Amino acid sequence: MPHATRRAALRASLRAQELDALLVTNLLNVRYLTGFTGSNAALLVHAESDGSTAFCTDGRYLTQAAAQVPDLARVVDRPCDAVLLKRARGLRRVGFESHHVTVDGLDALRAAAGDVALVRAPGLVEALRLVKDDAEVEALRMACAAADRALAGLVEHGGLRPGRTEREIARELESRMLDHGAAGPSFESIVAAGANSAVPHHRPTDAQVQHGDLVKIDFGALVDGYHSDMTRTLVVGRAADWQRDLHRLVAASQAAGRAALAVGAEVSAVDAAARGVIDAAGHGEHFLHGLGHGVGLQIHEAPALSKAGDGTLLPGMAVTVEPGVYLAGKGGVRIEDTLVVREGAPELLTLTTKELVVV
């Protein structure tokens, strides 16, 4: 099972940190390590073995926990973090996810731990989540496929036409993702028409699509807890020369960013490869955000592909490449794909054409 393999990898990190155990309280990290999808849980991962590891949830999830976490000792009680720490008494050093614990929460953990030394251990699980295993990549593929099919259906059935509002288009797109197997959208879908397309994270309104508008659509599907992310910018009616030129520039930048996704590449260098194309065209000030980000159990997770990003790309990292140029009051273009870093060329998961589509 992938969850047991992930816990084994975490135990190696615990031993390297000289920790006897790690208290995992972030629900996404609990899901990553166990498969549990409920709203209340904690996990005490022992450095020794799964035989000493314990999972805790409350009575609402008794049946669900038995089905989703059959391979660990299960405790049904609350509050889960304190209950597990009390079971850890007798251990020497127990790490906790300090980046997810409040000040008041830390006081409660200390009271429950007794003589056990609580050690800040931020990011240990997130470090494992950086590289996706085969099961995670398959979930991402399915999420990307649902989004691809939803957009294709929207276009083929006339969903992008003058007179429709941004909200109407977003709702139809999200409904189509559900029809293609998504549990829901990855995030609130962005549909931005006309001058609104120059706002990077515009929220859909009752603004109506007009003939000749750029329409920027940034959206994703959620499958098995994993998020896809894709942006395409289309034109309704007839494309003006400036729209074609802008789309061509962003497409060239995006291609440069994809080509730079190589194992061992600095994340800042990937950003620079794409940004340099836009800078050379005189639009550097109109590229208003980083090039991309990791995707997985969260829509935005490490690594960050940006000027200030730190670290290098590893095989199996899932990232977006999404340059954009935004001309305030006029319109903007963004093109985004979700990809997996591989030896050689990256694996493209979002397969919708990146050519300028005029509907």
Side-chain angles (χ1 to χ4, degrees), residues 6 9-19 21-24 29 32-33 45 94-100 119-130:
R6 296 168 192 172
L10 178 59
R11 282 196 293 275
S13 298
L14 299 184
R15 290 191 289 270
Q17 301 269 341
E18 298 184 344
L19 295 173
L22 177 69
L23 178 67
V24 182
N29 289 340
Y32 176 77
L33 293 168
V45 180
V94 173
F96 70 99
E97 296 187 305
S98 53
H99 54 316
H100 294 300
V119 180
R120 294 176 184 268
L124 292 185
V125 182
E126 285 86 350
L128 300 178
R129 285 171 48 193
L130 274 169

PDB file of all heavy atoms in Angstrom, residues 6 9-19 21-24 29 32-33 45 94-100 119-130:
ATOM      1  N   ARG A   6       4.817   5.342   2.434  1.00  0.00           N
ATOM      2  CA  ARG A   6       5.049   6.742   2.818  1.00  0.00           C
ATOM      3  C   ARG A   6       5.430   6.841   4.293  1.00  0.00           C
ATOM      4  O   ARG A   6       6.314   7.618   4.669  1.00  0.00           O
ATOM      5  CB  ARG A   6       3.801   7.581   2.527  1.00  0.00           C
ATOM      6  CG  ARG A   6       3.454   7.670   1.047  1.00  0.00           C
ATOM      7  CD  ARG A   6       2.070   8.243   0.832  1.00  0.00           C
ATOM      8  NE  ARG A   6       1.635   8.076  -0.554  1.00  0.00           N
ATOM      9  CZ  ARG A   6       0.408   8.347  -0.990  1.00  0.00           C
ATOM     10  NH1 ARG A   6      -0.517   8.789  -0.146  1.00  0.00           N
ATOM     11  NH2 ARG A   6       0.102   8.162  -2.257  1.00  0.00           N
ATOM     12  N   ALA A   9       9.009   5.904   4.752  1.00  0.00           N
ATOM     13  CA  ALA A   9       9.906   7.001   4.374  1.00  0.00           C
ATOM     14  C   ALA A   9       9.956   8.057   5.470  1.00  0.00           C
ATOM     15  O   ALA A   9      11.024   8.617   5.764  1.00  0.00           O
ATOM     16  CB  ALA A   9       9.444   7.621   3.059  1.00  0.00           C
ATOM     17  N   LEU A  10       8.821   8.307   6.108  1.00  0.00           N
ATOM     18  CA  LEU A  10       8.800   9.281   7.202  1.00  0.00           C
ATOM     19  C   LEU A  10       9.613   8.774   8.388  1.00  0.00           C
ATOM     20  O   LEU A  10      10.335   9.555   9.032  1.00  0.00           O
ATOM     21  CB  LEU A  10       7.356   9.559   7.623  1.00  0.00           C
ATOM     22  CG  LEU A  10       7.181  10.533   8.796  1.00  0.00           C
ATOM     23  CD1 LEU A  10       7.786  11.899   8.487  1.00  0.00           C
ATOM     24  CD2 LEU A  10       5.692  10.677   9.157  1.00  0.00           C
ATOM     25  N   ARG A  11       9.542   7.493   8.674  1.00  0.00           N
ATOM     26  CA  ARG A  11      10.319   6.957   9.802  1.00  0.00           C
ATOM     27  C   ARG A  11      11.812   7.165   9.589  1.00  0.00           C
ATOM     28  O   ARG A  11      12.552   7.448  10.543  1.00  0.00           O
ATOM     29  CB  ARG A  11      10.000   5.470  10.011  1.00  0.00           C
ATOM     30  CG  ARG A  11       8.681   5.224  10.714  1.00  0.00           C
ATOM     31  CD  ARG A  11       8.580   3.811  11.254  1.00  0.00           C
ATOM     32  NE  ARG A  11       8.514   2.835  10.177  1.00  0.00           N
ATOM     33  CZ  ARG A  11       7.379   2.493   9.561  1.00  0.00           C
ATOM     34  NH1 ARG A  11       6.240   3.062   9.936  1.00  0.00           N
ATOM     35  NH2 ARG A  11       7.382   1.604   8.605  1.00  0.00           N
ATOM     36  N   ALA A  12      12.253   7.061   8.349  1.00  0.00           N
ATOM     37  CA  ALA A  12      13.670   7.324   8.080  1.00  0.00           C
ATOM     38  C   ALA A  12      14.016   8.769   8.419  1.00  0.00           C
ATOM     39  O   ALA A  12      15.091   9.059   8.972  1.00  0.00           O
ATOM     40  CB  ALA A  12      13.982   7.037   6.612  1.00  0.00           C
ATOM     41  N   SER A  13      13.109   9.697   8.112  1.00  0.00           N
ATOM     42  CA  SER A  13      13.340  11.098   8.466  1.00  0.00           C
ATOM     43  C   SER A  13      13.359  11.291   9.975  1.00  0.00           C
ATOM     44  O   SER A  13      14.150  12.076  10.499  1.00  0.00           O
ATOM     45  CB  SER A  13      12.251  11.981   7.848  1.00  0.00           C
ATOM     46  OG  SER A  13      12.269  11.912   6.440  1.00  0.00           O
ATOM     47  N   LEU A  14      12.486  10.580  10.671  1.00  0.00           N
ATOM     48  CA  LEU A  14      12.446  10.708  12.133  1.00  0.00           C
ATOM     49  C   LEU A  14      13.750  10.230  12.760  1.00  0.00           C
ATOM     50  O   LEU A  14      14.283  10.870  13.681  1.00  0.00           O
ATOM     51  CB  LEU A  14      11.268   9.909  12.700  1.00  0.00           C
ATOM     52  CG  LEU A  14       9.866  10.325  12.250  1.00  0.00           C
ATOM     53  CD1 LEU A  14       8.809   9.514  12.979  1.00  0.00           C
ATOM     54  CD2 LEU A  14       9.646  11.813  12.467  1.00  0.00           C
ATOM     55  N   ARG A  15      14.258   9.125  12.263  1.00  0.00           N
ATOM     56  CA  ARG A  15      15.521   8.621  12.818  1.00  0.00           C
ATOM     57  C   ARG A  15      16.666   9.599  12.530  1.00  0.00           C
ATOM     58  O   ARG A  15      17.539   9.805  13.386  1.00  0.00           O
ATOM     59  CB  ARG A  15      15.817   7.241  12.238  1.00  0.00           C
ATOM     60  CG  ARG A  15      14.856   6.155  12.751  1.00  0.00           C
ATOM     61  CD  ARG A  15      15.325   4.766  12.370  1.00  0.00           C
ATOM     62  NE  ARG A  15      15.178   4.502  10.946  1.00  0.00           N
ATOM     63  CZ  ARG A  15      14.082   3.979  10.392  1.00  0.00           C
ATOM     64  NH1 ARG A  15      13.030   3.671  11.144  1.00  0.00           N
ATOM     65  NH2 ARG A  15      14.052   3.738   9.098  1.00  0.00           N
ATOM     66  N   ALA A  16      16.634  10.207  11.345  1.00  0.00           N
ATOM     67  CA  ALA A  16      17.679  11.187  11.017  1.00  0.00           C
ATOM     68  C   ALA A  16      17.600  12.402  11.936  1.00  0.00           C
ATOM     69  O   ALA A  16      18.620  13.031  12.232  1.00  0.00           O
ATOM     70  CB  ALA A  16      17.539  11.621   9.559  1.00  0.00           C
ATOM     71  N   GLN A  17      16.393  12.733  12.399  1.00  0.00           N
ATOM     72  CA  GLN A  17      16.197  13.872  13.295  1.00  0.00           C
ATOM     73  C   GLN A  17      16.303  13.468  14.768  1.00  0.00           C
ATOM     74  O   GLN A  17      16.092  14.298  15.653  1.00  0.00           O
ATOM     75  CB  GLN A  17      14.805  14.493  13.055  1.00  0.00           C
ATOM     76  CG  GLN A  17      14.579  14.982  11.643  1.00  0.00           C
ATOM     77  CD  GLN A  17      14.964  16.424  11.461  1.00  0.00           C
ATOM     78  OE1 GLN A  17      15.080  17.168  12.422  1.00  0.00           O
ATOM     79  NE2 GLN A  17      15.186  16.834  10.220  1.00  0.00           N
ATOM     80  N   GLU A  18      16.584  12.194  15.015  1.00  0.00           N
ATOM     81  CA  GLU A  18      16.664  11.653  16.379  1.00  0.00           C
ATOM     82  C   GLU A  18      15.366  11.877  17.141  1.00  0.00           C
ATOM     83  O   GLU A  18      15.354  12.248  18.320  1.00  0.00           O
ATOM     84  CB  GLU A  18      17.862  12.257  17.133  1.00  0.00           C
ATOM     85  CG  GLU A  18      19.202  11.919  16.491  1.00  0.00           C
ATOM     86  CD  GLU A  18      20.381  12.440  17.294  1.00  0.00           C
ATOM     87  OE1 GLU A  18      20.178  13.296  18.167  1.00  0.00           O
ATOM     88  OE2 GLU A  18      21.508  11.969  17.052  1.00  0.00           O
ATOM     89  N   LEU A  19      14.259  11.628  16.442  1.00  0.00           N
ATOM     90  CA  LEU A  19      12.936  11.709  17.052  1.00  0.00           C
ATOM     91  C   LEU A  19      12.397  10.299  17.261  1.00  0.00           C
ATOM     92  O   LEU A  19      12.558   9.426  16.397  1.00  0.00           O
ATOM     93  CB  LEU A  19      11.978  12.496  16.157  1.00  0.00           C
ATOM     94  CG  LEU A  19      12.286  13.978  15.939  1.00  0.00           C
ATOM     95  CD1 LEU A  19      11.341  14.568  14.899  1.00  0.00           C
ATOM     96  CD2 LEU A  19      12.184  14.745  17.253  1.00  0.00           C
ATOM     97  N   ALA A  21       9.156   9.770  17.663  1.00  0.00           N
ATOM     98  CA  ALA A  21       7.855   9.728  16.990  1.00  0.00           C
ATOM     99  C   ALA A  21       7.533  11.124  16.472  1.00  0.00           C
ATOM    100  O   ALA A  21       8.174  12.115  16.849  1.00  0.00           O
ATOM    101  CB  ALA A  21       6.758   9.248  17.949  1.00  0.00           C
ATOM    102  N   LEU A  22       6.528  11.198  15.609  1.00  0.00           N
ATOM    103  CA  LEU A  22       6.017  12.478  15.120  1.00  0.00           C
ATOM    104  C   LEU A  22       4.514  12.489  15.293  1.00  0.00           C
ATOM    105  O   LEU A  22       3.809  11.574  14.848  1.00  0.00           O
ATOM    106  CB  LEU A  22       6.362  12.686  13.644  1.00  0.00           C
ATOM    107  CG  LEU A  22       5.797  13.968  13.005  1.00  0.00           C
ATOM    108  CD1 LEU A  22       6.497  15.202  13.576  1.00  0.00           C
ATOM    109  CD2 LEU A  22       5.929  13.926  11.480  1.00  0.00           C
ATOM    110  N   LEU A  23       4.006  13.551  15.918  1.00  0.00           N
ATOM    111  CA  LEU A  23       2.565  13.768  16.030  1.00  0.00           C
ATOM    112  C   LEU A  23       2.117  14.556  14.799  1.00  0.00           C
ATOM    113  O   LEU A  23       2.523  15.703  14.609  1.00  0.00           O
ATOM    114  CB  LEU A  23       2.231  14.539  17.311  1.00  0.00           C
ATOM    115  CG  LEU A  23       0.746  14.861  17.507  1.00  0.00           C
ATOM    116  CD1 LEU A  23      -0.056  13.580  17.737  1.00  0.00           C
ATOM    117  CD2 LEU A  23       0.559  15.826  18.681  1.00  0.00           C
ATOM    118  N   VAL A  24       1.304  13.919  13.970  1.00  0.00           N
ATOM    119  CA  VAL A  24       0.825  14.542  12.732  1.00  0.00           C
ATOM    120  C   VAL A  24      -0.600  15.012  12.960  1.00  0.00           C
ATOM    121  O   VAL A  24      -1.498  14.204  13.224  1.00  0.00           O
ATOM    122  CB  VAL A  24       0.881  13.547  11.556  1.00  0.00           C
ATOM    123  CG1 VAL A  24       0.427  14.213  10.261  1.00  0.00           C
ATOM    124  CG2 VAL A  24       2.285  12.976  11.409  1.00  0.00           C
ATOM    125  N   ASN A  29      -1.855  15.954   5.761  1.00  0.00           N
ATOM    126  CA  ASN A  29      -0.730  15.070   6.033  1.00  0.00           C
ATOM    127  C   ASN A  29      -1.198  13.716   6.590  1.00  0.00           C
ATOM    128  O   ASN A  29      -0.636  12.667   6.274  1.00  0.00           O
ATOM    129  CB  ASN A  29       0.261  15.731   6.980  1.00  0.00           C
ATOM    130  CG  ASN A  29       1.025  16.856   6.308  1.00  0.00           C
ATOM    131  OD1 ASN A  29       1.099  16.925   5.087  1.00  0.00           O
ATOM    132  ND2 ASN A  29       1.599  17.743   7.106  1.00  0.00           N
ATOM    133  N   TYR A  32      -2.412  11.837   3.602  1.00  0.00           N
ATOM    134  CA  TYR A  32      -1.279  11.358   2.809  1.00  0.00           C
ATOM    135  C   TYR A  32      -0.685  10.087   3.409  1.00  0.00           C
ATOM    136  O   TYR A  32      -0.303   9.159   2.681  1.00  0.00           O
ATOM    137  CB  TYR A  32      -0.224  12.452   2.740  1.00  0.00           C
ATOM    138  CG  TYR A  32       1.050  12.077   2.034  1.00  0.00           C
ATOM    139  CD1 TYR A  32       1.112  12.026   0.639  1.00  0.00           C
ATOM    140  CD2 TYR A  32       2.203  11.768   2.754  1.00  0.00           C
ATOM    141  CE1 TYR A  32       2.283  11.675  -0.013  1.00  0.00           C
ATOM    142  CE2 TYR A  32       3.375  11.415   2.102  1.00  0.00           C
ATOM    143  CZ  TYR A  32       3.414  11.369   0.725  1.00  0.00           C
ATOM    144  OH  TYR A  32       4.578  11.020   0.086  1.00  0.00           O
ATOM    145  N   LEU A  33      -0.637  10.018   4.725  1.00  0.00           N
ATOM    146  CA  LEU A  33       0.028   8.902   5.398  1.00  0.00           C
ATOM    147  C   LEU A  33      -0.887   7.722   5.688  1.00  0.00           C
ATOM    148  O   LEU A  33      -0.404   6.624   5.976  1.00  0.00           O
ATOM    149  CB  LEU A  33       0.645   9.385   6.711  1.00  0.00           C
ATOM    150  CG  LEU A  33       1.810  10.383   6.567  1.00  0.00           C
ATOM    151  CD1 LEU A  33       2.149  11.003   7.915  1.00  0.00           C
ATOM    152  CD2 LEU A  33       3.043   9.719   5.956  1.00  0.00           C
ATOM    153  N   VAL A  45       3.186   8.735  14.530  1.00  0.00           N
ATOM    154  CA  VAL A  45       4.042   7.826  13.765  1.00  0.00           C
ATOM    155  C   VAL A  45       5.300   7.546  14.578  1.00  0.00           C
ATOM    156  O   VAL A  45       6.080   8.463  14.851  1.00  0.00           O
ATOM    157  CB  VAL A  45       4.420   8.436  12.395  1.00  0.00           C
ATOM    158  CG1 VAL A  45       5.313   7.480  11.609  1.00  0.00           C
ATOM    159  CG2 VAL A  45       3.166   8.762  11.592  1.00  0.00           C
ATOM    160  N   VAL A  94       9.466  13.654  20.968  1.00  0.00           N
ATOM    161  CA  VAL A  94       8.361  13.535  20.015  1.00  0.00           C
ATOM    162  C   VAL A  94       8.252  14.843  19.235  1.00  0.00           C
ATOM    163  O   VAL A  94       8.126  15.921  19.819  1.00  0.00           O
ATOM    164  CB  VAL A  94       7.027  13.221  20.724  1.00  0.00           C
ATOM    165  CG1 VAL A  94       5.857  13.268  19.726  1.00  0.00           C
ATOM    166  CG2 VAL A  94       7.095  11.854  21.395  1.00  0.00           C
ATOM    167  N   GLY A  95       8.322  14.746  17.931  1.00  0.00           N
ATOM    168  CA  GLY A  95       8.170  15.925  17.094  1.00  0.00           C
ATOM    169  C   GLY A  95       6.707  16.280  16.912  1.00  0.00           C
ATOM    170  O   GLY A  95       5.815  15.435  17.051  1.00  0.00           O
ATOM    171  N   PHE A  96       6.460  17.531  16.595  1.00  0.00           N
ATOM    172  CA  PHE A  96       5.091  17.963  16.281  1.00  0.00           C
ATOM    173  C   PHE A  96       5.141  18.960  15.140  1.00  0.00           C
ATOM    174  O   PHE A  96       6.174  19.589  14.890  1.00  0.00           O
ATOM    175  CB  PHE A  96       4.387  18.554  17.509  1.00  0.00           C
ATOM    176  CG  PHE A  96       4.906  19.890  17.969  1.00  0.00           C
ATOM    177  CD1 PHE A  96       4.253  21.073  17.633  1.00  0.00           C
ATOM    178  CD2 PHE A  96       6.061  19.977  18.746  1.00  0.00           C
ATOM    179  CE1 PHE A  96       4.731  22.308  18.058  1.00  0.00           C
ATOM    180  CE2 PHE A  96       6.550  21.206  19.173  1.00  0.00           C
ATOM    181  CZ  PHE A  96       5.877  22.376  18.827  1.00  0.00           C
ATOM    182  N   GLU A  97       4.053  19.093  14.429  1.00  0.00           N
ATOM    183  CA  GLU A  97       3.981  19.957  13.249  1.00  0.00           C
ATOM    184  C   GLU A  97       3.790  21.409  13.695  1.00  0.00           C
ATOM    185  O   GLU A  97       2.686  21.951  13.664  1.00  0.00           O
ATOM    186  CB  GLU A  97       2.861  19.490  12.323  1.00  0.00           C
ATOM    187  CG  GLU A  97       3.110  18.108  11.756  1.00  0.00           C
ATOM    188  CD  GLU A  97       2.100  17.697  10.711  1.00  0.00           C
ATOM    189  OE1 GLU A  97       0.895  17.742  11.025  1.00  0.00           O
ATOM    190  OE2 GLU A  97       2.506  17.340   9.588  1.00  0.00           O
ATOM    191  N   SER A  98       4.893  22.025  14.072  1.00  0.00           N
ATOM    192  CA  SER A  98       4.831  23.368  14.665  1.00  0.00           C
ATOM    193  C   SER A  98       4.272  24.404  13.704  1.00  0.00           C
ATOM    194  O   SER A  98       3.740  25.429  14.136  1.00  0.00           O
ATOM    195  CB  SER A  98       6.227  23.791  15.140  1.00  0.00           C
ATOM    196  OG  SER A  98       7.176  23.670  14.094  1.00  0.00           O
ATOM    197  N   HIS A  99       4.376  24.152  12.392  1.00  0.00           N
ATOM    198  CA  HIS A  99       3.847  25.105  11.412  1.00  0.00           C
ATOM    199  C   HIS A  99       2.331  25.023  11.299  1.00  0.00           C
ATOM    200  O   HIS A  99       1.716  25.836  10.598  1.00  0.00           O
ATOM    201  CB  HIS A  99       4.496  24.885  10.049  1.00  0.00           C
ATOM    202  CG  HIS A  99       4.404  23.488   9.515  1.00  0.00           C
ATOM    203  ND1 HIS A  99       4.632  22.367  10.277  1.00  0.00           N
ATOM    204  CD2 HIS A  99       4.115  23.021   8.264  1.00  0.00           C
ATOM    205  CE1 HIS A  99       4.492  21.285   9.529  1.00  0.00           C
ATOM    206  NE2 HIS A  99       4.177  21.664   8.314  1.00  0.00           N
ATOM    207  N   HIS A 100       1.713  24.054  11.984  1.00  0.00           N
ATOM    208  CA  HIS A 100       0.259  23.923  11.950  1.00  0.00           C
ATOM    209  C   HIS A 100      -0.372  24.049  13.338  1.00  0.00           C
ATOM    210  O   HIS A 100      -1.590  23.876  13.465  1.00  0.00           O
ATOM    211  CB  HIS A 100      -0.141  22.566  11.349  1.00  0.00           C
ATOM    212  CG  HIS A 100       0.224  22.409   9.912  1.00  0.00           C
ATOM    213  ND1 HIS A 100      -0.264  23.248   8.930  1.00  0.00           N
ATOM    214  CD2 HIS A 100       1.015  21.517   9.274  1.00  0.00           C
ATOM    215  CE1 HIS A 100       0.216  22.874   7.749  1.00  0.00           C
ATOM    216  NE2 HIS A 100       1.010  21.838   7.930  1.00  0.00           N
ATOM    217  N   VAL A 119       9.355  18.481  20.317  1.00  0.00           N
ATOM    218  CA  VAL A 119      10.367  19.083  19.442  1.00  0.00           C
ATOM    219  C   VAL A 119       9.682  19.623  18.191  1.00  0.00           C
ATOM    220  O   VAL A 119       8.917  18.903  17.541  1.00  0.00           O
ATOM    221  CB  VAL A 119      11.432  18.045  19.040  1.00  0.00           C
ATOM    222  CG1 VAL A 119      12.482  18.675  18.144  1.00  0.00           C
ATOM    223  CG2 VAL A 119      12.068  17.427  20.287  1.00  0.00           C
ATOM    224  N   ARG A 120       9.965  20.876  17.867  1.00  0.00           N
ATOM    225  CA  ARG A 120       9.420  21.435  16.625  1.00  0.00           C
ATOM    226  C   ARG A 120       9.957  20.636  15.442  1.00  0.00           C
ATOM    227  O   ARG A 120      11.168  20.468  15.298  1.00  0.00           O
ATOM    228  CB  ARG A 120       9.816  22.900  16.478  1.00  0.00           C
ATOM    229  CG  ARG A 120       9.201  23.815  17.532  1.00  0.00           C
ATOM    230  CD  ARG A 120       9.726  25.237  17.382  1.00  0.00           C
ATOM    231  NE  ARG A 120       9.232  26.103  18.434  1.00  0.00           N
ATOM    232  CZ  ARG A 120       8.127  26.841  18.343  1.00  0.00           C
ATOM    233  NH1 ARG A 120       7.428  26.818  17.210  1.00  0.00           N
ATOM    234  NH2 ARG A 120       7.731  27.604  19.339  1.00  0.00           N
ATOM    235  N   ALA A 121       9.045  20.173  14.587  1.00  0.00           N
ATOM    236  CA  ALA A 121       9.459  19.369  13.430  1.00  0.00           C
ATOM    237  C   ALA A 121       8.602  19.754  12.220  1.00  0.00           C
ATOM    238  O   ALA A 121       7.832  18.943  11.705  1.00  0.00           O
ATOM    239  CB  ALA A 121       9.325  17.881  13.738  1.00  0.00           C
ATOM    240  N   PRO A 122       8.759  20.996  11.765  1.00  0.00           N
ATOM    241  CA  PRO A 122       7.918  21.449  10.651  1.00  0.00           C
ATOM    242  C   PRO A 122       8.347  20.849   9.319  1.00  0.00           C
ATOM    243  O   PRO A 122       9.534  20.637   9.065  1.00  0.00           O
ATOM    244  CB  PRO A 122       8.140  22.963  10.652  1.00  0.00           C
ATOM    245  CG  PRO A 122       9.531  23.144  11.188  1.00  0.00           C
ATOM    246  CD  PRO A 122       9.679  22.056  12.226  1.00  0.00           C
ATOM    247  N   GLY A 123       7.351  20.553   8.485  1.00  0.00           N
ATOM    248  CA  GLY A 123       7.624  20.234   7.090  1.00  0.00           C
ATOM    249  C   GLY A 123       8.135  18.846   6.782  1.00  0.00           C
ATOM    250  O   GLY A 123       8.482  18.575   5.628  1.00  0.00           O
ATOM    251  N   LEU A 124       8.166  17.936   7.752  1.00  0.00           N
ATOM    252  CA  LEU A 124       8.704  16.609   7.463  1.00  0.00           C
ATOM    253  C   LEU A 124       7.818  15.850   6.471  1.00  0.00           C
ATOM    254  O   LEU A 124       8.326  15.203   5.548  1.00  0.00           O
ATOM    255  CB  LEU A 124       8.855  15.802   8.747  1.00  0.00           C
ATOM    256  CG  LEU A 124       9.920  16.276   9.743  1.00  0.00           C
ATOM    257  CD1 LEU A 124      10.025  15.292  10.905  1.00  0.00           C
ATOM    258  CD2 LEU A 124      11.273  16.438   9.064  1.00  0.00           C
ATOM    259  N   VAL A 125       6.517  15.917   6.657  1.00  0.00           N
ATOM    260  CA  VAL A 125       5.613  15.220   5.737  1.00  0.00           C
ATOM    261  C   VAL A 125       5.552  15.957   4.407  1.00  0.00           C
ATOM    262  O   VAL A 125       5.548  15.337   3.341  1.00  0.00           O
ATOM    263  CB  VAL A 125       4.212  15.065   6.352  1.00  0.00           C
ATOM    264  CG1 VAL A 125       3.287  14.301   5.402  1.00  0.00           C
ATOM    265  CG2 VAL A 125       4.293  14.335   7.692  1.00  0.00           C
ATOM    266  N   GLU A 126       5.520  17.280   4.459  1.00  0.00           N
ATOM    267  CA  GLU A 126       5.488  18.060   3.213  1.00  0.00           C
ATOM    268  C   GLU A 126       6.711  17.782   2.347  1.00  0.00           C
ATOM    269  O   GLU A 126       6.621  17.808   1.113  1.00  0.00           O
ATOM    270  CB  GLU A 126       5.391  19.548   3.523  1.00  0.00           C
ATOM    271  CG  GLU A 126       4.024  20.015   3.994  1.00  0.00           C
ATOM    272  CD  GLU A 126       3.805  19.853   5.486  1.00  0.00           C
ATOM    273  OE1 GLU A 126       4.643  19.199   6.151  1.00  0.00           O
ATOM    274  OE2 GLU A 126       2.798  20.368   6.002  1.00  0.00           O
ATOM    275  N   ALA A 127       7.854  17.517   2.973  1.00  0.00           N
ATOM    276  CA  ALA A 127       9.051  17.201   2.199  1.00  0.00           C
ATOM    277  C   ALA A 127       8.855  15.909   1.403  1.00  0.00           C
ATOM    278  O   ALA A 127       9.335  15.778   0.269  1.00  0.00           O
ATOM    279  CB  ALA A 127      10.262  17.071   3.126  1.00  0.00           C
ATOM    280  N   LEU A 128       8.135  14.948   1.977  1.00  0.00           N
ATOM    281  CA  LEU A 128       7.825  13.715   1.250  1.00  0.00           C
ATOM    282  C   LEU A 128       6.813  13.979   0.146  1.00  0.00           C
ATOM    283  O   LEU A 128       6.892  13.385  -0.943  1.00  0.00           O
ATOM    284  CB  LEU A 128       7.277  12.663   2.213  1.00  0.00           C
ATOM    285  CG  LEU A 128       8.193  12.226   3.354  1.00  0.00           C
ATOM    286  CD1 LEU A 128       7.471  11.217   4.230  1.00  0.00           C
ATOM    287  CD2 LEU A 128       9.488  11.641   2.815  1.00  0.00           C
ATOM    288  N   ARG A 129       5.865  14.862   0.415  1.00  0.00           N
ATOM    289  CA  ARG A 129       4.811  15.153  -0.559  1.00  0.00           C
ATOM    290  C   ARG A 129       5.329  15.892  -1.796  1.00  0.00           C
ATOM    291  O   ARG A 129       4.637  15.950  -2.816  1.00  0.00           O
ATOM    292  CB  ARG A 129       3.709  15.987   0.106  1.00  0.00           C
ATOM    293  CG  ARG A 129       2.812  15.173   1.039  1.00  0.00           C
ATOM    294  CD  ARG A 129       1.868  16.037   1.846  1.00  0.00           C
ATOM    295  NE  ARG A 129       1.174  17.011   1.015  1.00  0.00           N
ATOM    296  CZ  ARG A 129       0.483  18.045   1.496  1.00  0.00           C
ATOM    297  NH1 ARG A 129       0.415  18.252   2.807  1.00  0.00           N
ATOM    298  NH2 ARG A 129      -0.130  18.880   0.672  1.00  0.00           N
ATOM    299  N   LEU A 130       6.537  16.435  -1.731  1.00  0.00           N
ATOM    300  CA  LEU A 130       7.106  17.136  -2.885  1.00  0.00           C
ATOM    301  C   LEU A 130       7.164  16.232  -4.120  1.00  0.00           C
ATOM    302  O   LEU A 130       6.906  16.676  -5.238  1.00  0.00           O
ATOM    303  CB  LEU A 130       8.526  17.606  -2.562  1.00  0.00           C
ATOM    304  CG  LEU A 130       8.690  18.943  -1.857  1.00  0.00           C
ATOM    305  CD1 LEU A 130      10.132  19.101  -1.395  1.00  0.00           C
ATOM    306  CD2 LEU A 130       8.304  20.090  -2.775  1.00  0.00           C
TER     307      LEU A 130
END
